[in-house]
Amino acid sequence: MRRTLKITLAYDGTRFVGWQRQAEGESIQGLLEDALAKFEGGPVTAHGAGRTDAGVHARGQVASAAVSFPYPVDTLVRALNAHLPEDIRVLEVADAPADFHARFSARSKTYRYQIRAGSVGDPFTRAFVWQLAERLDVAAMREAAAKLIGTHDFAAFQSAGTETSTTIRTITRSDIVLGGADVLGGADASGPRTTDSRALMAYEIAGDGFLRHMVRAIVGTLVEIGRGWRPPASMAQLVDGGTRAEAGATAPPHGLCLVRVDYD
């Protein structure tokens, strides 16, 4: 009898080619599918809620997979982890409705991008934080970030050459948080806020969907605003007919983490 599994994972994406299986290199999807195949006795396809890029991390990635084996979900958590490398961990396995799909059933995703502004970096967080030498204008970044909340056209933040049916997305949260979060976002983002631009800061964004490299392009634009290279008002102009060439550079992947995926 077929069953659909909902699998929640965390991973350090540093050495992987991303979520999606590639012709070369190790992917999260490929390793998870290989682990599931050991219990299925044949190929298994795992669908991810978010196709995280090479070097991007996750604390709450969700995958769905249709399988036939009868093993209890608690047993599967331990068994799958035994067949996965230590930088990928299955956090939870649950039986889901037959029509559940990790990507298409998702209602909201939350990402966090971490930045540290200061002349001296932290060697223990370097794989998860974008280190910048100069201070940033946090107030200007927050003002700009707030302009993304709502339903807008995010074409200016989509990678050039990407094909998609629509670039309209609805964003429910867009904010800069200082303090109160650990490296990969284990603490609640409502922690203490300060105006100390030397602190570890996190850009939090939640919405119904994201374009390819969208969060990293937003972060790159916010950093340019924080540096004083462009005014906060430019963010509103970018979601009102702006082009990719008019937005900021794409931030490096290692500061980004998929924190949570929400379903009905």
Side-chain angles (χ1 to χ4, degrees), residues 59-212:
R59 180 174 285 274
Q61 172 73 282
V62 176
S64 56
V67 299
S68 300
F69 54 74
Y71 304 110
V73 292
D74 291 343
T75 300
L76 282 174
V77 172
R78 298 190 299 272
L80 288 172
N81 282 330
H83 291 284
L84 288 168
E86 291 185 348
D87 43 5
I88 305 175
R89 292 292 86 181
V90 171
L91 305 178
E92 182 181 19
V93 179
D95 282 300
D99 61 351
F100 174 78
H101 190 286
R103 180 182 176 192
F104 299 126
S105 300
R107 293 294 174 261
S108 179
K109 299 172 189 173
T110 300
Y111 285 89
R112 174 180 286 125
Y113 193 102
Q114 295 206 136
I115 300 168
R116 186 184 298 278
S119 58
V120 179
D122 180 356
F124 299 103
T125 62
R126 71 189 188 283
F128 310 102
V129 176
W130 185 13
Q131 177 70 38
L132 299 173
E134 69 271 44
R135 294 192 182 191
L136 301 173
D137 185 339
V138 177
M141 294 171 70
R142 280 186 173 145
E143 179 184 344
K147 299 182 185 302
L148 299 181
I149 295 175
T151 301
H152 304 287
D153 186 343
F154 287 89
F157 301 104
Q158 177 178 248
S159 292
T162 304
E163 294 185 5
T164 184
S165 59
T166 178
T167 52
I168 304 295
R169 297 291 186 271
T170 298
I171 299 302
T172 55
R173 177 176 184 166
S174 177
D175 193 17
I176 303 291
V177 177
L178 298 185
D182 69 10
V183 171
L184 284 181
D188 183 76
S190 61
R193 301 183 180 200
T194 76
T195 57
D196 182 0
S197 60
R198 295 168 297 178
L200 176 67
M201 67 181 71
Y203 173 60
E204 290 268 348
I205 185 169
D208 61 356
F210 295 88
L211 303 168
R212 182 168 175 77

Side-chain angles (χ1 to χ4, degrees), residues 2-6 64-66 94-102 105 263-264:
R2 300 287 280 177
R3 60 196 287 216
T4 298
L5 299 178
K6 176 186 177 185
S64 56
D95 282 300
D99 61 351
F100 174 78
H101 190 286
S105 300
Y263 299 88
D264 286 341

Side-chain angles (χ1 to χ4, degrees), residues 155-160 213 216-218 221 242-251:
F157 301 104
Q158 177 178 248
S159 292
H213 295 162
R216 290 166 56 196
I218 290 173
T221 306
T243 65
R244 183 67 191 93
E246 295 171 315
T250 303

